[in-house]
Amino acid sequence: MLSEKSIVSGLVMMFVSINASAADYTIMQNSKSFKVAGAQVEEMTIKAGDTIHFKNEDPFFHNIFSLSDLKTFDLGSYPVGESKSVVFDAAGEVEIECAIHPQMYLLLTVE
Ligand SMILES: [Cu+2]
């Protein structure tokens, strides 16, 4: 029979191994578009559990949000140099937009 201690340590190991595979991405807000490594992106695929850091590189505010069923969030308005993060924990599609610049759009697929 499993002891309480071994169940707890098993759960902790499971958590650590899930976490170890999670990746971090940074998406820049630059020239009123979403950019990864300097290139504009309108679609992107990540894995469930991954984190995206949304960093404002423009000398004006952006307001990043999503109304998607999978992940609804509003990071608020923030200035150049500031970064805010979202963890995407479930698989599906998320539409990411900027409340200030309607032309900014990113379709994120979480696998
Ligand atoms: Cu914007």
Side-chain angles (χ1 to χ4, degrees):
M1 195 178 146
L2 285 170
S3 72
E4 204 171 293
K5 198 176 170 186
S6 68
I7 292 171
V8 169
S9 67
L11 286 173
V12 167
M13 288 207 20
M14 210 165 78
F15 178 75
V16 168
S17 64
I18 288 170
N19 238 20
S21 65
D24 277 66
Y25 297 94
T26 299
I27 297 179
M28 310 293 187
Q29 285 80 72
N30 182 294
S31 304
K32 298 182 185 176
S33 61
F34 292 108
K35 289 187 179 171
V36 175
Q40 186 173 346
V41 290
E42 292 181 341
E43 292 182 11
M44 185 172 167
T45 300
I46 63 170
K47 297 214 178 321
D50 290 351
T51 300
I52 294 185
H53 306 281
F54 294 94
K55 186 173 184 189
N56 186 353
E57 289 197 315
D58 277 324
F60 40 80
F61 282 74
H62 288 292
N63 183 334
I64 308 306
F65 74 97
S66 176
L67 297 176
S68 297
D69 289 340
L70 186 74
K71 190 83 179 178
T72 302
F73 61 89
D74 184 351
L75 301 181
S77 297
Y78 54 100
V80 62
E82 206 165 299
S83 177
K84 297 195 178 188
S85 304
V86 180
V87 177
F88 294 89
D89 31 33
E93 289 191 335
V94 184
E95 293 181 302
I96 298 168
E97 300 169 75
C98 171
I100 301 167
H101 308 104
Q103 71 269 39
M104 293 177 67
Y105 176 83
L106 174 69
L107 178 61
L108 184 72
T109 301
V110 185
E111 292 181 332

